[in-house]
Amino acid sequence: MDTTTLRVLPCGDAALLVEAAGLDDVLALHAALEADRPGGVVDLVPAARTLLLRFDPVRTDAAALERAVREAEPVAVSRSGGELLEIPVVYDGPDLADVAHHTGLSERDVIAEHTACEWTVAFGGFAPGFGYLAGGSPRLEVPRRSESRTRVPTGSVALAGTYSGVYPRSSPGGWQLIGHTDLVTWDVDRDPPALLRPGVRVRFVAADSGETEGERPRRTAGGDA
Amino acid sequence: MTDLDVLAPGPLATVQDLGRPGNAGIGVGLSGAADGGSLRLANRLVGNDEDAACVEVTFGGFAARARTPLTVAVTGAPCPVTVDGRGAAPDSVLRVPAGAEIRLGTPARGLRSYLAVRGGLTVPAVLGSRSTDLLSGLGPQLLREGDVLPVGPAPARFPVIDGAPGRAIADSEAPLRVVPGPRDDWFTSRALATLLTEPYTVTSECDRVGARLDGPELARAGVGELPSEGMVPGALQVPPSGKPTLFLADHPVTGGYPVIAVVVTSDVDAAAQLRPGMRVRFVRDRTANRATSRPGAARPSPHLPATSNSGRSS
């Protein structure tokens, strides 16, 4: 990546928003700045096409940080080194048929594609413990639902754009739900609280619904479990 | 045991410190006192570290009883304070005898007052902070009648002054300085001019996450969807309605609507004191350091639909 092509945008007086060509460039820049964090930077927030640098305006300024960004030497982030997490999924999501329709695949093939590839947590952001999983099958690219649900149950496994994700707790949401897992992906009393941290690799494994029924007795009652 | 018994929380009272920075990667926002300057002042007055946990009282109505003699201070929105029924001054060091009640009345101006107790509130921390994050649900529960707030050991240093004037809090119209961007180019040039000249009104949809504003619509220059990107306190995010939302302490870590301008750090505290119905004017900040480079090369056009519409919210 050529850092001179990055767009560096003002974001108030205590942050800069750096826009890159795509996710790989964002992650490469993030890794470089995380490894050698410029003085005064208090948080780095990677997203699909941008990296937000929040800084302490007493300790540094936008011009110095823009220089640091331009002088950074981003290295392509390996997507093979992270911890591997297997997530058992019952593919019974209410949007599975819609996803099949959007992608032109059969429901069985949607499941096959989702379980065949290795995903990597690229970044977080929507809710505590929610990781945006990238690197999956390009055949699974789907739009968000035209209307968001007011309540998506905990553990829902979903697709939107080129990403997949697991809802860490019940919340509103607009992604296409293809299944659910009983794996607790977020628990503040656990260290670390989030299973889906940036860099973690994920493989989804199709599980038999019969196996998990006993573990989630009141799912239909709401899904706050 | 040094404790504070909550007798009445008022409309909304939470425990806050300076939040949990550095957790954006796992989707955890900063949170912390909405008016951080007032929390710091309250802590300095009682000799605490600036980041000790306090009670953030929204629109007064809070009452508590000290089990042991306590040293406290009330800052932020100026409200009538009584200690065992006797009037006490805000922004000053107050001694509360054992068994005495401290009460915060309705503030004359502003929205949020801070009650610091010497020693700090030592409710359990979550991810390094005792702040309640109303968006993510992290941290202590909202305070209720009957809650017992443990107080930590007194710090080694003593209060050095009896009082310190707090920041003036506006009562009708507040000017807030902004830096345009990062996504001002998603809007018509007239939209930014409108934002910087026309008054906006704080609606009743106003909480620790942010304040929805009413006023002239800010029109986008084109169509398209922005992939979610990192947000900051003070961001003026503009949903398709064209009416901006001003983000405060519990704002989402990322958001998918373009931010036309951002209120400067030193004015975000004032923004947290805006009441529903108040008018606010945005003025261009002339002092902030700005990143201005916008090379045209290798940049996606902001007005083309993104390659996917993922990640706007999930």
Side-chain angles (χ1 to χ4, degrees):
Chain A
M1 185 208 334
D2 175 2
T3 56
T4 62
T5 63
L6 296 168
R7 269 182 105 200
V8 179
L9 306 173
C11 190
D13 62 341
L16 283 182
L17 188 70
V18 182
E19 187 173 61
L23 177 61
D24 287 340
D25 285 356
V26 170
L27 297 182
L29 181 65
H30 180 233
L33 294 176
E34 196 70 277
D36 185 15
R37 204 181 252 224
V41 170
V42 295
D43 209 353
L44 295 167
V45 188
R49 216 168 62 196
T50 55
L51 178 65
L52 178 75
L53 286 78
R54 293 178 64 165
F55 61 88
D56 177 354
V58 175
R59 293 174 55 205
T60 187
D61 60 47
L65 283 182
E66 178 169 356
R67 272 197 307 279
V69 166
R70 303 264 179 225
E71 287 165 9
E73 292 176 12
V75 281
V77 176
S78 161
R79 287 194 181 163
S80 59
E83 168 195 329
L84 179 64
L85 178 69
E86 281 200 354
I87 300 183
V89 179
V90 179
Y91 286 93
D92 60 357
D95 300 326
L96 188 58
D98 280 352
V99 168
H101 174 75
H102 276 297
T103 56
L105 300 170
S106 67
E107 292 184 20
R108 183 188 291 263
D109 286 342
V110 168
I111 297 166
E113 290 286 327
H114 197 245
T115 52
C117 49
E118 194 173 279
W119 303 78
T120 307
V121 181
F123 52 90
F126 161 66
F130 188 92
Y132 288 79
L133 297 164
S137 165
R139 297 174 72 184
L140 291 181
E141 182 166 344
V142 287
R144 287 163 44 89
R145 283 168 50 82
S146 52
E147 276 191 40
S148 286
R149 288 187 171 86
T150 53
R151 188 177 174 84
V152 171
T154 303
S156 293
V157 175
L159 293 169
T162 57
Y163 296 98
S164 189
V166 181
Y167 282 79
R169 61 171 198 160
S170 174
S171 69
W175 285 29
Q176 310 268 4
L177 310 184
I178 59 172
H180 75 266
T181 180
D182 292 328
L183 189 68
V184 177
T185 56
W186 172 256
D187 178 357
V188 287
D189 295 324
R190 183 174 61 197
D191 187 23
L195 293 183
L196 298 171
R197 302 178 304 281
V200 169
R201 295 175 298 142
V202 170
R203 192 171 276 280
F204 292 103
V205 180
D208 180 356
S209 61
E211 286 171 21
T212 58
E213 214 54 50
E215 297 166 33
R216 34 194 302 281
R218 281 190 297 273
R219 161 138 322 251
T220 50
D224 263 329
Chain B
M1 182 122 193
T2 308
D3 288 324
L4 193 63
D5 290 315
V6 176
L7 303 177
L12 174 71
T14 58
V15 175
Q16 297 293 338
D17 52 22
L18 293 179
R20 35 183 84 79
N23 290 300
I26 54 170
V28 172
L30 183 59
S31 189
D35 175 355
S38 292
L39 177 128
R40 290 170 197 262
L41 174 63
N43 277 324
R44 284 201 304 274
L45 282 169
V46 297
N48 286 345
D49 288 340
E50 283 195 331
D51 62 351
C54 299
V55 180
E56 181 178 280
V57 176
T58 311
F59 213 57
F62 181 85
R65 180 181 291 117
R67 291 195 181 176
T68 53
L70 295 178
T71 300
V72 307
V74 178
T75 63
C79 57
V81 179
T82 59
V83 175
D84 251 1
R86 267 186 281 191
D91 300 336
S92 65
V93 181
L94 306 176
R95 315 285 172 178
V96 182
E101 285 179 23
I102 177 158
R103 290 185 176 271
L104 277 63
T106 304
R109 301 182 299 284
L111 197 57
R112 297 181 170 97
S113 309
Y114 293 85
L115 171 66
V117 181
R118 181 166 162 77
L121 303 176
T122 53
V123 297
V126 175
L127 299 177
S129 166
R130 298 184 166 94
S131 291
T132 297
D133 183 335
L134 292 187
L135 185 69
S136 70
L138 292 179
Q141 300 285 310
L142 307 186
L143 294 183
R144 288 170 306 182
E145 179 188 347
D147 282 347
V148 179
L149 297 173
V151 176
R157 71 180 162 273
F158 286 91
V160 291
I161 46 172
D162 292 330
R167 195 186 62 248
I169 287 176
D171 57 358
S172 57
E173 184 171 299
L176 298 176
R177 290 167 293 170
V178 297
V179 177
R183 298 297 180 185
D184 48 325
D185 59 352
W186 275 59
F187 297 87
T188 62
S189 56
R190 195 191 169 109
L192 186 61
T194 299
L195 180 75
L196 296 173
T197 50
E198 298 295 323
Y200 282 79
T201 306
V202 180
T203 69
S204 57
E205 291 177 86
C206 165
D207 59 17
R208 284 180 43 84
V209 176
R212 284 202 181 165
L213 305 179
D214 198 9
E217 285 180 24
L218 303 172
R220 290 198 197 173
V223 292
E225 258 191 83
L226 186 70
S228 281
E229 57 193 25
M231 291 286 139
V232 294
L236 285 163
Q237 196 196 47
V238 185
S241 70
K243 310 280 177 102
T245 294
L246 171 55
F247 277 152
L248 295 173
D250 292 349
H251 69 83
V253 176
T254 57
Y257 296 129
V259 170
I260 190 169
V262 178
V263 174
V264 298
T265 321
S266 52
D267 285 359
V268 170
D269 289 352
Q273 295 292 0
L274 294 173
R275 288 184 183 188
M278 268 181 71
R279 292 214 302 182
V280 55
R281 276 184 189 277
F282 298 102
V283 296
R284 189 188 287 263
D285 179 63
R286 301 280 173 196
T287 57
N289 290 302
R290 270 170 230 145
T292 50
S293 68
R294 297 185 175 218
R299 46 164 284 200
S301 162
H303 302 140
L304 289 175
T307 49
S308 76
N309 63 354
S310 69
R312 217 173 88 224
S313 70
S314 297

